[in-house]
Amino acid sequence: MNKPNVLLITVDQMRIFEMGCYTKEKILKNMHLTPNINALAKKSVQFNNAFTPNPVCTPARSCILSGQYSRRCIGSVGNACEELTDRKRFPDITLAEKFKTEGYDTAIIGKWHIHDNPYSLGFNNAIYTSIHHKNKQQTFYTNKTKNIIEGNNYEYELNQTQKFLKEHKDKPFFLFHNISLPHMPYFDIDEQYLKKFVDNPPPFRKNVEIPKDKDFLINWFKIYYYDYLYYMHKGKEYENLPEGFDLKTLYAMYCGAITAADMQVGRILQTIKELSLEKNTIITFVSDHGDNMGSHALFNKDVSYEESIHIPFLILCPDAVPFKCNDLVTLLDITPTLFELCNFNYSNCYDGISLKDLIYKKIKLKRNKIFFETPQGEIGCRTKRFLYSAKITLKDYVGNNLPPKIPCFRFFDLKNDPYQLNNLAEAKLLNPYIEKKKTELNKAVNNWHATTPWFKPNI
């Protein structure tokens, strides 16, 4: 391909377990939550072992754009509240900047949720939301003008993406389209999706626990239903839940939000087809992180469980043979992979690796583990079989490179315990092989933490 177009689609907080192309649950497969993404997967390289480097919005999205761990690119492991006017982070050339220097027109449309403004990171065009989580009556920054858009966000975002694609039918582009769903809130999602599965809710994962603390549970119900309107603007109108609201209702709404996100993916892909851009467009689809949704009696994300870190990851190259891949990959790989797929020269400043030879030649990666960290002070790694994490206090964590003395926090043998019900962190009678792996992963995680530097932004 001569200067292929690049379309990068992200969804927010979508884990793999409800997706037809990933799930092994027949009931969920038959519910057809993600028909458009499933169709894309059949034409793509589908990575079955893909993980986020940080299961929270801002750091994960920063990792995508930088190809670096969040501590390296933004000096932080937590969320941003609002954008800065000037670039204070991202010390190295970003994904969008590289495409811009190579003669591509660059655009971000949809959710942003990164510290620095998109123009400072290499985007020529930026149409993004002022409020991170809201589905209707949203305020958009549209190429430096501020507009309140009535109705659904997604209609405006999709219209803007369609317009951009039509205008760039004959010139190379890098388009970063960010879908806000299935992230909460749920109250302002169209009823056709909000209530789609409420009368026939899907089965819970086998590790879902209903918390004994009812106040804790109700608080999370309100966060999912109203998001920031509840926890930042507390008022009577944000205290009420629909009658009979329970965990089944919440999960059904999450599944409806997944289907709403899938619809948006389908609309974008249809536009690509209608404009005859399929033969010269690389399409990447990922989620920034997952959602615990009651597994382990937890909600939201930001912890070292599969429900938080295991994500969908698809790459469609028009001239590559589709297949399902079990190699370990991470969001950090997007930047170097897209650079190589487009035949760019680039410096060796990225933490991810190129997947080009894996995609085209099925050459297995030498990597046997990937690393992640969370705002909760958890530092961990994932192999094909094991999930390991260590934990220290945030006071000792942020900005420090500590010696390798962090004890084991969670350790799961996913081959024998796929739902992570048996934490082996403090188990005394492990077989020699499992004990050896625990020791090896402890050493690897501690070494990663001690040797991976922090960026100190000038703020």
Side-chain angles (χ1 to χ4, degrees):
M1 290 182 289
N2 183 28
K3 277 204 172 183
N5 304 310
V6 176
L7 169 62
L8 172 56
I9 303 173
T10 66
V11 286
D12 194 347
Q13 204 149 315
M14 186 186 288
R15 61 190 192 179
I16 66 169
F17 304 109
E18 289 72 29
M19 302 177 65
C21 53
Y22 281 99
T23 185
K24 296 179 181 179
E25 300 289 338
K26 289 185 178 180
I27 294 176
L28 281 166
K29 275 188 179 292
N30 293 334
M31 292 181 76
H32 303 293
L33 271 66
T34 56
N36 295 298
I37 300 171
N38 297 347
L40 176 62
K42 288 181 180 179
K43 298 186 291 184
S44 306
V45 177
Q46 174 180 318
F47 297 101
N48 294 326
N49 283 315
F51 302 91
T52 181
N54 191 320
V56 187
C57 296
T58 297
R61 291 162 186 272
S62 299
C63 291
I64 290 172
L65 286 178
S66 68
Q68 298 174 336
Y69 292 106
S70 62
R71 62 165 67 183
R72 283 197 61 209
C73 65
I74 59 173
S76 171
V77 292
N79 266 337
C81 294
E82 59 185 53
E83 295 75 36
L84 300 176
T85 56
D86 299 313
R87 180 169 177 169
K88 304 294 184 183
R89 297 166 174 83
F90 298 92
D92 296 301
I93 189 168
T94 67
L95 184 59
E97 279 182 306
K98 184 63 176 176
F99 275 101
K100 186 176 179 179
T101 63
E102 293 288 340
Y104 282 67
D105 203 0
T106 57
I108 179 272
I109 296 175
K111 176 175 172 173
W112 181 236
H113 209 168
I114 289 176
H115 294 88
D116 302 338
N117 74 64
Y119 303 104
S120 69
L121 300 185
F123 288 99
N124 295 326
N125 307 277
I127 301 169
Y128 60 103
T129 56
S130 172
I131 301 168
H132 303 310
H133 304 129
K134 191 177 181 183
N135 298 305
K136 292 181 179 178
Q137 282 76 51
Q138 175 68 274
T139 301
F140 277 86
Y141 291 102
T142 304
N143 290 332
K144 299 185 179 180
T145 63
K146 194 172 182 179
N147 303 298
I148 298 176
I149 305 301
E150 299 297 329
N152 295 307
N153 295 2
Y154 68 78
E155 287 292 349
Y156 181 72
E157 293 166 355
L158 290 172
N159 288 339
Q160 293 298 316
T161 283
Q162 289 172 330
K163 179 182 177 183
F164 179 86
L165 292 172
K166 288 175 182 177
E167 291 174 349
H168 293 77
K169 182 179 178 181
D170 301 313
K171 46 189 174 181
F173 63 80
F174 168 63
L175 173 59
F176 188 28
H177 185 104
N178 294 294
I179 297 169
S180 295
L181 294 173
H183 195 291
M184 67 280 277
Y186 296 158
F187 81 98
D188 59 353
I189 297 176
D190 284 352
E191 286 204 359
Q192 61 173 316
Y193 301 110
L194 185 67
K195 296 184 178 180
K196 184 176 179 66
F197 302 106
V198 169
D199 293 332
N200 183 30
F204 291 140
R205 276 178 63 73
K206 294 177 182 178
N207 56 14
V208 167
E209 302 174 43
I210 298 177
K212 295 179 181 179
D213 186 336
K214 296 301 180 184
D215 290 337
F216 172 84
L217 184 62
I218 295 299
N219 181 61
W220 273 112
F221 285 171
K222 292 176 181 179
I223 291 173
Y224 274 91
Y225 199 64
Y226 294 111
D227 198 75
Y228 77 101
L229 292 170
Y230 165 66
Y231 57 77
M232 291 184 68
H233 306 288
K234 286 183 177 289
K236 290 183 179 179
E237 65 270 40
Y238 309 125
E239 290 284 345
N240 298 321
L241 293 167
E243 186 176 351
F245 197 102
D246 57 12
L247 192 53
K248 286 185 178 180
T249 308
L250 177 64
Y251 185 38
M253 288 182 176
Y254 178 66
C255 290
I258 288 174
T259 298
D262 178 81
M263 174 277 296
Q264 295 173 56
V265 173
R267 292 263 296 272
I268 297 170
L269 297 179
Q270 182 61 30
T271 300
I272 291 287
K273 182 177 181 180
E274 290 172 355
L275 295 173
S276 300
L277 291 169
E278 291 177 300
K279 292 183 179 180
N280 196 43
T281 302
I282 297 167
I283 301 173
T284 302
F285 169 85
V286 293
S287 177
D288 54 356
H289 51 74
D291 191 311
N292 295 305
M293 194 51 61
S295 291
H296 322 290
L298 295 173
F299 296 92
N300 218 14
K301 57 268 187 180
D302 71 16
V303 291
S304 55
Y305 281 115
E306 286 288 280
E307 290 76 17
S308 276
I309 66 170
H310 205 154
I311 55 168
F313 190 162
L314 310 172
I315 296 182
L316 185 156
C317 296
D319 53 352
V321 177
F323 68 100
K324 293 185 179 182
C325 177
N326 291 321
D327 285 50
L328 294 161
V329 299
T330 165
L331 293 178
L332 298 167
D333 299 331
I334 292 174
T335 287
T337 298
L338 291 179
F339 287 173
E340 289 217 353
L341 290 175
C342 295
N343 298 312
F344 297 164
N345 293 318
Y346 61 96
S347 66
N348 188 26
C349 66
Y350 302 104
D351 295 318
I353 60 175
S354 171
L355 307 176
K356 182 178 179 179
D357 285 344
L358 177 59
I359 292 169
Y360 280 103
K361 301 177 184 178
K362 296 186 180 180
I363 297 175
K364 295 291 184 182
L365 301 179
K366 295 180 180 180
R367 169 193 285 160
N368 58 17
K369 63 179 72 67
I370 60 97
F371 296 94
F372 62 86
E373 57 188 335
T374 85
Q376 304 298 327
E378 296 181 45
I379 310 162
C381 70
R382 177 66 153 78
T383 73
K384 288 185 179 180
R385 177 169 175 176
F386 298 103
L387 173 60
Y388 178 97
S389 70
K391 186 175 182 179
I392 55 179
T393 64
L394 287 177
K395 180 182 178 181
D396 294 327
Y397 175 37
V398 178
N400 288 299
N401 293 310
L402 302 180
K405 297 179 180 178
I406 315 170
C408 184
F409 180 56
R410 292 193 179 105
F411 180 47
F412 298 104
D413 177 4
L414 299 174
K415 178 181 178 181
N416 297 306
D417 181 24
Y419 294 99
Q420 310 133 90
L421 299 173
N422 183 24
N423 187 357
L424 303 175
E426 298 182 6
K428 303 297 182 184
L429 299 174
L430 295 175
N431 72 50
Y433 174 76
I434 302 293
E435 187 66 53
K436 179 182 177 183
K437 287 298 177 183
K438 181 180 176 182
T439 301
E440 288 177 0
L441 296 178
N442 175 270
K443 183 177 179 180
V445 166
N446 277 279
N447 181 66
W448 178 87
H449 177 55
T451 58
T452 305
W454 289 77
F455 173 64
K456 295 181 180 179
N458 182 26
I459 55 174

